[in-house]
């Protein structure tokens, strides 16, 4: 049975579409999840862009269940082409990215539309690399800055960026499968050209720590559309990465 322990008081939203799928998957694994700082979740916000670290296939349902929101999470292109996985991500409401090397215009337009309709969108800025190259639970890789561009381009008066840290306390490693198999579903991805197995991390106990949300201000947007574009993008990206890094240090 899935076990939750909240360390702070916070508003809880009623379950909607992807929530039963997320809870069913996590419950089947016997996961114990401890949620910290729920009071930081901006439940009254017009729209929220969730940013998190990424090591396991369980991260998407973990975010959905921990935040009690039907977060529309970006997933790798190959998942939308792979039987069974394709149906699973549809149940979770995930948004597939486009093939590697593209400018992701289709994804960005879909994500902007969702945010403008006051839905929640989730992104793993580390990309797929931590999924293929097993990392320590406290290790976090460099962030791709696409999420910052998305947040600053989207014309919403009340948009918040919410950093969330998923800290594994206890986990197991399932037998992997050849990475090259994934190239059958996405031949454009250079990560799939290497030999070796794809690690499959299964969480047994985790801490989910909610970071301090960052509100996108009118000044941020003004700087983004002017000479301060690079600076404000770096500022938002660095803020989220540092927030998650600090939270991971507290997760053990």
């Amino acid at each position: 049975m899935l076990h939750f322990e909240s360390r702070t008081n916070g508003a809880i939203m009623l379950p909607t579409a992807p929530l039963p799928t997320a809870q069913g998957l996590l419950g089947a694994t016997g996961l114990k999840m401890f949620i910290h700082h729920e009071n930081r979740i901006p439940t009254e916000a017009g729209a929220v862009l969730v940013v998190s670290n990424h090591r396991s296939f369980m991260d998407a349902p973990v975010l959905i269940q921990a935040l009690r929101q039907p977060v529309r999470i970006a997933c790798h292109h190959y998942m939308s082409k792979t039987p069974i996985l394709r149906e699973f991500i549809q149940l979770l409401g995930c948004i597939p990215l486009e093939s590697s090397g593209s400018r992701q215009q289709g994804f960005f337009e879909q994500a902007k539309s969702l945010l403008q309709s006051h839905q929640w969108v989730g992104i793993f800025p580390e990309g797929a690399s931590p999924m293929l190259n097993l990392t320590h639970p406290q290790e976090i890789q460099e962030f791709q800055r696409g999420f910052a561009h998305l947040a600053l381009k989207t014309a919403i008066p009340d948009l918040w960026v919410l950093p969330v840290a998923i800290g594994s306390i206890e986990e197991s490693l399932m037998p992997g499968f050849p990475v090259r198999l994934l190239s059958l579903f996405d031949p454009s991805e250079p990560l799939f050209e290497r030999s070796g197995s794809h690690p499959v991390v299964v969480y047994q106990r985790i801490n989910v720590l909610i970071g301090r949300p960052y509100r996108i201000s009118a000044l941020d947007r003004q700087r983004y559309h002017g000479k301060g574009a690079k600076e404000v993008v770096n500022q938002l990206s660095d803020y989220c990465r540092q927030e998650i890094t600090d939270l991971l240090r507290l997760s053990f």
Side-chain angles (χ1 to χ4, degrees), residues 198-217:
H198 187 312
V200 180
V201 174
V202 179
Y203 299 137
Q204 269 88 54
R205 291 191 301 137
I206 60 171
N207 284 318
V208 179
L209 302 99
I210 313 300
R212 295 168 297 169
Y214 182 109
R215 187 182 185 191
I216 303 298
S217 68

Side-chain angles (χ1 to χ4, degrees), residues 39-104:
N39 60 310
R40 293 175 174 174
I41 300 174
T43 53
E44 302 300 320
V48 178
L49 179 61
V50 180
V51 177
S52 178
N53 58 310
H54 188 35
R55 294 180 62 250
S56 170
F57 72 98
M58 297 173 69
D59 291 332
V62 160
L63 288 180
I64 291 170
Q65 188 62 45
L67 297 172
R68 308 294 173 90
Q69 292 281 351
V71 187
R72 305 293 302 277
I73 297 174
C75 65
H76 200 284
H77 177 69
Y78 83 90
M79 299 183 77
S80 66
K81 303 297 181 182
T82 309
I84 301 177
L85 276 179
R86 178 177 57 225
E87 287 71 27
F88 177 69
I89 66 169
Q90 287 174 351
L91 287 171
L92 282 176
C94 295
I95 316 170
L97 293 164
E98 294 162 79
S99 58
S100 180
S102 72
R103 294 177 61 84
Q104 302 295 335

Side-chain angles (χ1 to χ4, degrees), residues 11-251:
I12 301 299
M13 303 298 289
L14 294 176
T16 52
L19 283 165
T21 303
Q23 187 166 22
L25 172 68
L26 300 179
T29 67
L31 175 69
K32 291 184 178 180
M33 176 159 58
F34 306 94
I35 308 171
H36 306 254
H37 309 303
E38 283 181 292
N39 60 310
R40 293 175 174 174
I41 300 174
T43 53
E44 302 300 320
V48 178
L49 179 61
V50 180
V51 177
S52 178
N53 58 310
H54 188 35
R55 294 180 62 250
S56 170
F57 72 98
M58 297 173 69
D59 291 332
V62 160
L63 288 180
I64 291 170
Q65 188 62 45
L67 297 172
R68 308 294 173 90
Q69 292 281 351
V71 187
R72 305 293 302 277
I73 297 174
C75 65
H76 200 284
H77 177 69
Y78 83 90
M79 299 183 77
S80 66
K81 303 297 181 182
T82 309
I84 301 177
L85 276 179
R86 178 177 57 225
E87 287 71 27
F88 177 69
I89 66 169
Q90 287 174 351
L91 287 171
L92 282 176
C94 295
I95 316 170
L97 293 164
E98 294 162 79
S99 58
S100 180
S102 72
R103 294 177 61 84
Q104 302 295 335
Q105 283 300 113
F107 166 78
F108 274 95
E109 288 304 315
Q110 187 177 359
K112 282 172 61 178
S113 177
L114 289 167
L115 290 169
Q116 287 166 348
S117 62
H118 294 177
Q119 297 191 54
W120 291 38
V121 173
I123 293 182
F124 299 120
E126 294 171 281
S129 180
M131 290 280 291
L132 297 173
N133 304 296
L134 189 62
T135 58
H136 186 274
Q138 285 184 287
E139 182 182 344
I140 186 166
Q141 299 190 8
E142 288 300 316
F143 274 13
Q144 299 173 26
R145 301 184 188 275
F147 80 92
H149 287 281
L150 172 62
L152 293 160
K153 278 183 180 178
T154 305
I156 300 177
D158 192 23
L159 174 62
W160 294 79
V161 180
L162 181 65
V164 178
I166 301 173
S168 176
I169 307 169
E170 182 181 353
E171 64 186 32
S172 60
L173 196 62
M174 291 178 59
F177 53 89
V179 172
R180 288 187 184 274
L181 281 179
L182 297 177
S183 64
L184 297 174
F185 304 101
D186 185 4
S188 69
E189 177 54 71
L191 287 172
F192 299 160
E193 295 175 1
R194 70 172 179 82
S195 58
S197 295
H198 187 312
V200 180
V201 174
V202 179
Y203 299 137
Q204 269 88 54
R205 291 191 301 137
I206 60 171
N207 284 318
V208 179
L209 302 99
I210 313 300
R212 295 168 297 169
Y214 182 109
R215 187 182 185 191
I216 303 298
S217 68
L219 178 59
D220 288 331
R221 291 194 184 89
Q222 182 180 344
R223 291 170 62 202
Y224 181 73
H225 292 289
K227 295 181 179 179
K230 183 176 180 180
E231 182 182 356
V232 71
V233 165
N234 290 343
Q235 176 183 314
L236 176 55
S237 182
D238 292 345
Y239 172 84
C240 290
R241 188 176 185 275
Q242 189 61 55
E243 189 77 359
I244 293 171
T245 297
D246 291 343
L247 290 169
L248 286 175
R249 290 173 183 156
L250 298 173
S251 67

